[in-house]
Amino acid sequence: MASRRIAIIEDHPLMLRALSSNLALHLPYTEFIYQGKSISDALTAIDVAGCDLALLDLDLGDGIPPIQNLEKLLASGTPVLIVSALAEQFLVRQALTNGASGFISKNADESTLIDAVTSIISGENYMSADIATILLSDKTDPGLSAQEKQALSLYASGLKLDAVARSMNLSRSSASEYIQRARKKYLKVGINLPTKTDLYRQAQKDGLLP
């Protein structure tokens, strides 16, 4: 049987040893091409040896946005299984939307880990039951306040910031703050609205604009 080439990118030594030990025990034909916390070193190892699967912790403590690390691994052509304690709804959705083949929490048992690894190497996607529950219970309502809704809808409708402020009897800075708060709340539920066009479309979708 051909060996499975696996990279583990994890910054906690105990977790790193636990993952590699469990995989070595249950998947005897596993070759670990990299074990450590450096994305750049992992990519070098992948470039040299090839890789069937990378296990990635989202929080490596390297100051790099988690999704950026994921994207770097995916750019190498390597399937990625997220194994992370970070299981907020927007992060799970963001990771899967950006191309991760699976997501399990660090609380997952050995059988879940093995199922995830074998499934992804076989070309399937995988999500542990607890992560699936998070997504099923996920809500995309950002919970905007009345002022945030008004500022967003006025701005998205085409008004300039000064006009929004006048319409709401606010200072320009206060109007801007309401709009930025709305953007941040949307981002927390996985909806990125960087442009005015994005705001307009989302406001229409949410019934804030006709």
Side-chain angles (χ1 to χ4, degrees):
M1 179 182 291
S3 63
R4 306 172 181 87
R5 298 163 299 175
I6 290 179
I8 304 177
I9 303 98
E10 164 65 58
D11 66 326
H12 290 93
L14 289 177
M15 189 66 192
L16 185 61
R17 284 196 292 272
L19 289 170
S20 59
S21 296
N22 284 330
L23 291 174
L25 177 63
H26 296 285
L27 300 174
Y29 294 97
T30 298
E31 174 189 355
F32 297 104
I33 65 159
Y34 178 78
Q35 298 181 64
K37 62 181 181 180
S38 169
I39 288 290
S40 60
D41 289 349
L43 289 171
T44 298
I46 289 170
D47 186 53
V48 171
C51 189
D52 297 304
L53 177 63
L55 277 63
L56 174 65
D57 177 14
L58 285 179
D59 186 13
L60 294 174
D62 55 4
I64 299 174
I67 299 304
Q68 188 173 324
N69 282 332
L70 169 63
E71 290 173 342
K72 288 179 180 179
L73 288 170
L74 292 173
S76 72
T78 304
V80 177
L81 168 63
I82 304 297
V83 183
S84 182
L86 298 178
E88 288 88 349
Q89 294 168 346
F90 79 97
L91 267 180
V92 174
R93 189 192 307 110
Q94 194 176 21
L96 295 174
T97 300
N98 280 272
S101 295
F103 200 122
I104 64 175
S105 74
K106 287 187 175 180
N107 295 324
D109 56 25
E110 293 178 5
S111 62
T112 298
L113 171 64
I114 302 307
D115 286 347
V117 169
T118 54
S119 294
I120 295 172
I121 289 178
S122 298
E124 302 173 4
N125 291 336
Y126 188 92
M127 191 185 310
S128 59
D130 55 343
I131 297 300
T133 299
I134 288 173
L135 289 183
L136 286 173
S137 64
D138 189 13
K139 297 179 180 179
T140 55
D141 179 3
L144 302 184
S145 69
Q147 294 95 332
E148 289 162 353
K149 287 180 180 179
Q150 185 179 4
L152 184 147
S153 59
L154 288 170
Y155 184 67
S157 69
L159 293 183
K160 293 185 177 180
L161 191 55
D162 288 333
V164 173
R166 286 195 298 271
S167 296
M168 296 181 67
N169 293 316
L170 297 172
S171 66
R172 190 178 191 277
S173 61
S174 294
S176 176
E177 184 177 350
Y178 281 130
I179 294 168
Q180 293 310 312
R181 282 184 192 171
R183 277 189 162 121
K184 288 178 181 178
K185 286 184 177 181
Y186 273 111
L187 189 58
K188 283 186 176 180
V189 295
I191 301 173
N192 189 21
L193 304 172
T195 70
K196 202 167 189 176
T197 300
D198 293 325
L199 286 173
Y200 176 76
R201 290 172 179 165
Q202 190 64 42
Q204 279 190 315
K205 182 178 178 180
D206 290 347
L208 300 177
L209 289 175

